[in-house]
Amino acid sequence: MSVKDALTTYAENTWCPGCGNFGIFTAFKNAVKELENRGVKTSNILITAGIGCHGKIFDYLNLSGFYSLHGRAVATAQGMKLGNPDLYVVAFVGDGDAMGEGLEHVLFAAKRNADVTVIMHNNGVYGLTTGQFTPVSPKGFKGPSTPFGSVEEPLNPIKLVLEAHATFVARGYSAKIKELTNIFVEAILHKGFSFVDVLQPCVSFNDTYEVYNKNTFFVDRIGKTKDEAVELSTVSEKIPLGIFYKKDKPVYHELELEGKNLFTGSLTKEERVKRIKELLKI
Ligand code: SF4
């Protein structure tokens, strides 16, 4: 396979033809190019991903980063940011990955306003393992693990992260690439925890293209309060898309590290020993 552009690797792409992940991939690459125009060096963008179909984006994007474990991409992203706060860190997660296995990491990253961006590929199924229901699948969803329909109510990711004090919350759609690009740019530039719920059809196990093409619209404003953001994001006859909430607030690494950069400002061995002795009073 030939490299199509500088942001695409040589890895063979194994997403199913028509998968919504392609739209997220394209929008993200567009966002990286736009960020470069706005002064963000591409080499300063670091990525991580969980496990699932979404996680393959890590193999396809020609950017630096760490591959994480199932549900642990947000924890990994926070470590990367603390290691070098000068970097822009993006965690790609799946809906099962982030709302199931990794939910606690998402909520606590939001709670402490970790300055990382979380992009959730929300296809409503565990696609890589052939279509089991996830915590956000609608009640009645039929799949290999729920052949008679799920009896559980779905979680609402937007409400959850807002309740956990996320400072940037948005919903995009993988087929609306221009708008998704803009949302990614704003999310990455936001100083604080940014969460983008991306509606992503899975053509093999949960093909939602028709529903989303007919029933989505973009909101025309950003909520001033969390209550207003919830109201803006709430699905009724149609599914709202766009940025629902954005707020300035001190970020975790600045509060915790008091402006230090552990990577560029790392201490010498002698300085570390001196600090340890001071702490232990020896
Ligand atoms: Fe995409 Fe679904 Fe295929 Fe996975 S199984 S690559 S999510 S279409």
Side-chain angles (χ1 to χ4, degrees):
M1 186 182 181
S2 63
V3 171
K4 298 186 191 89
D5 58 71
L7 288 171
T8 305
T9 66
Y10 283 99
E12 183 187 358
N13 194 307
T14 57
W15 284 325
C16 307
C19 172
N21 278 315
F22 285 102
I24 299 176
F25 183 52
T26 301
F28 191 78
K29 288 192 296 178
N30 291 345
V32 171
K33 288 177 209 155
E34 175 57 23
L35 286 164
E36 184 85 44
N37 293 338
R38 297 203 198 180
V40 176
K41 279 192 190 162
T42 301
S43 57
N44 279 354
I45 298 173
L46 210 58
I47 59 170
T48 182
I51 301 296
C53 291
H54 80 274
K56 297 179 184 181
I57 200 167
F58 186 92
D59 296 330
Y60 307 149
L61 278 171
N62 194 15
L63 293 168
S64 300
F66 291 120
Y67 226 135
S68 189
L69 303 172
H70 202 13
R72 311 300 169 213
V74 178
T76 306
Q78 290 175 80
M80 290 153 83
K81 184 72 186 181
L82 283 174
N84 186 348
D86 293 344
L87 301 175
Y88 294 81
V89 181
V90 179
F92 295 96
V93 297
D95 53 299
D97 180 68
M99 294 290 113
E101 290 82 359
L103 180 61
E104 73 280 24
H105 296 301
V106 175
L107 297 183
F108 279 89
K111 180 176 178 288
R112 59 177 68 104
N113 200 25
D115 188 14
V116 298
T117 297
V118 176
I119 294 176
M120 188 171 84
H121 303 220
N122 185 352
N123 58 10
V125 285
Y126 286 98
L128 197 64
T129 50
T130 69
Q132 294 80 5
F133 83 122
T134 75
V136 305
S137 304
K139 195 172 180 182
F141 179 86
K142 288 186 181 167
S145 57
T146 52
F148 304 112
S150 161
V151 295
E152 299 178 19
E153 296 289 345
L155 294 179
N156 181 325
I158 300 275
K159 278 190 189 170
L160 277 173
V161 297
L162 279 167
E163 176 59 27
H165 309 296
T167 50
F168 180 105
V169 181
R171 185 188 288 126
Y173 171 29
S174 62
K176 300 276 182 191
I177 290 176
K178 187 165 155 260
E179 294 84 352
L180 189 58
T181 299
N182 292 338
I183 290 173
F184 286 165
V185 168
E186 294 303 318
I188 293 167
L189 288 176
H190 174 72
K191 195 169 173 184
F193 184 80
S194 49
F195 181 86
V196 187
D197 175 17
V198 187
L199 305 179
Q200 177 244 305
C202 166
V203 289
S204 296
F205 302 108
N206 192 22
D207 190 347
T208 45
Y209 274 118
E210 205 181 324
V211 174
Y212 294 158
N213 285 344
K214 278 191 195 151
N215 298 308
T216 51
F217 71 101
F218 283 91
V219 296
D220 56 4
R221 66 183 197 281
I222 299 175
K224 289 194 176 69
T225 63
K226 284 202 264 183
D227 286 345
E228 197 186 341
V230 167
E231 199 180 309
L232 280 173
S233 70
T234 299
V235 175
S236 50
E237 290 111 64
K238 295 206 168 204
I239 305 168
L241 304 172
I243 299 170
F244 304 125
Y245 190 64
K246 195 175 169 189
K247 184 186 176 183
D248 290 333
K249 195 177 156 187
V251 293
Y252 180 69
H253 69 269
E254 288 186 353
L255 295 171
E256 199 64 53
L257 302 176
E258 297 170 340
K260 291 190 204 74
N261 183 318
L262 299 179
F263 178 68
T264 57
S266 60
L267 303 172
T268 62
K269 187 182 170 191
E270 290 71 29
E271 286 168 332
R272 283 202 301 275
V273 170
K274 186 168 168 271
R275 291 269 185 101
I276 290 168
K277 284 185 174 170
E278 280 169 10
L279 278 172
L280 297 176
K281 297 190 181 17
I282 53 176

